Amino acid sequence: MNPETGASPARLFFALWLPPEIAQRLHRQAGGIVGKSGGRLMREESLHVTLAFLGEVPEARLPELQAIAAGLDLPRVPVRLDRLGFWKHNHIVWAGCSETAPELSALAGGLQRALLPAGFLDAERAVTPHVTLLRKAAHPGELPALPAQEWTAGEFVLARSWRTERGSTYEPAARWPLR
Ligand code: 2AM
């Protein structure tokens, strides 16, 4: 329990954080959808693409986890978000890729394989790269077109997810460069 926020223990994940200007555009676009779908708008500064989800990790294992991340030599990746979608099963409105760049899948795979031997993950899982924009949304009907948002990710982030009474909040805890 975080004594300041009253949140339960942190869950960890690796992600690509969105460049601020792209986060701003996506957040604005999501703001235009929430009127139809309801739900909770994700904070602009928390928008990300998850690469590997670890769940709860004991505080004592953080140095080991950070050492693994620091020892990786992974290439920069192109990211192109060009469509909006809605998943019924988890009530999420998201921005994603019509075609996932092989480099992005390779980054998630490389990272996950590095985490397996130390038991931070139990299996490698294929990633469907997406940015969650709205949670607890109802079906929004036809979604607007998303003008392609492209950037080259030059770093990856270890982030914390805190569950609070107002939902989850996300914050980057450490960053490492992609070469
Ligand atoms: P989501 O946005 O699709 O819900 C922090 O919770 C991040 O980790 C979010 O991007 C979330 O994806 C992802 N996440 C949460 N639980 C997960 C799980 N069990 N498997 C994979 N990703 C998960």
Side-chain angles (χ1 to χ4, degrees), residues 37-61:
S37 65
R40 196 158 44 77
L41 204 51
M42 296 293 96
R43 287 181 307 128
E44 187 178 319
E45 60 275 23
S46 74
L47 297 181
H48 63 270
V49 177
T50 296
L51 299 168
F53 179 78
L54 280 61
E56 284 180 23
V57 173
E59 203 72 26
R61 293 204 71 195

Side-chain angles (χ1 to χ4, degrees), residues 11 13 48 50 53 87 90 92 130 132 135 161 170:
R11 298 181 305 165
F13 60 103
H48 63 270
T50 296
F53 179 78
W87 284 327
N90 54 8
I92 279 174
H130 67 280
T132 296
R135 292 194 186 279
S161 157
Y170 311 112

